[in-house]
Amino acid sequence: MSLTASPRFLPAVLWADAASCLASGVLQLAAAPMLARLLGLSQGLLVQTGWVLVAVAAFAAFLARSRPVPRVGVYLLVAGNVAWVLGCIELAFTGAAQTGLGVAYLLFQAIAVAAIAALEWAGVRRATPTAWA
């Protein structure tokens, strides 16, 4: 059995997604004024996406706790993660971030979220039917 087919793989990746979304969301909500100055991003954007991240964290945690893990929910989460990656790349290269640190922050998020989405995709595609029970 491969690692991605393990019944524990996908829930673990979902918990990692939930934790990273919650950490980023709380950071953006708690430190929006400071981050806006450092990253050169709009404070409103940071607050709005902070709330989105908190909501996504709750959804990922719900999926991680569910038995069986609902495939449709994971596909929806992967699609949202892909949209987040594309949004970060667009913001990084259209001048929304007014500092190099802001561009780096957006590109780091894009890379990290793409990696999590790839792991979720691999987990949901490789899981055996018995792993969903």
Side-chain angles (χ1 to χ4, degrees):
M1 174 189 310
S2 72
L3 177 65
T4 58
S6 166
R8 293 182 297 246
F9 179 79
L10 184 57
V13 173
L14 292 169
W15 280 119
D17 196 355
S20 65
C21 285
L22 185 61
S24 295
V26 168
L27 173 67
Q28 287 182 203
L29 291 169
M34 181 188 67
L35 287 174
R37 284 190 305 278
L38 288 172
L39 304 177
L41 291 166
S42 146
Q43 185 173 336
L45 175 70
L46 290 166
V47 169
Q48 290 172 357
T49 56
W51 285 115
V52 170
L53 287 166
V54 170
V56 171
F59 182 62
F62 165 77
L63 292 174
R65 290 188 53 174
S66 297
R67 295 295 179 266
V69 175
R71 287 180 187 251
V72 172
V74 177
Y75 291 139
L76 181 61
L77 186 61
V78 169
N81 282 339
V82 169
W84 191 270
V85 168
L86 295 174
C88 285
I89 291 170
E90 179 184 359
L91 289 171
F93 292 111
T94 59
Q98 301 296 312
T99 68
L101 186 58
V103 171
Y105 179 77
L106 291 168
L107 293 178
F108 175 79
Q109 274 201 16
I111 292 166
V113 173
I116 288 174
L119 291 171
E120 289 167 343
W121 180 257
V124 75
R125 300 290 294 165
R126 296 286 310 261
T128 61
T130 58
W132 299 93

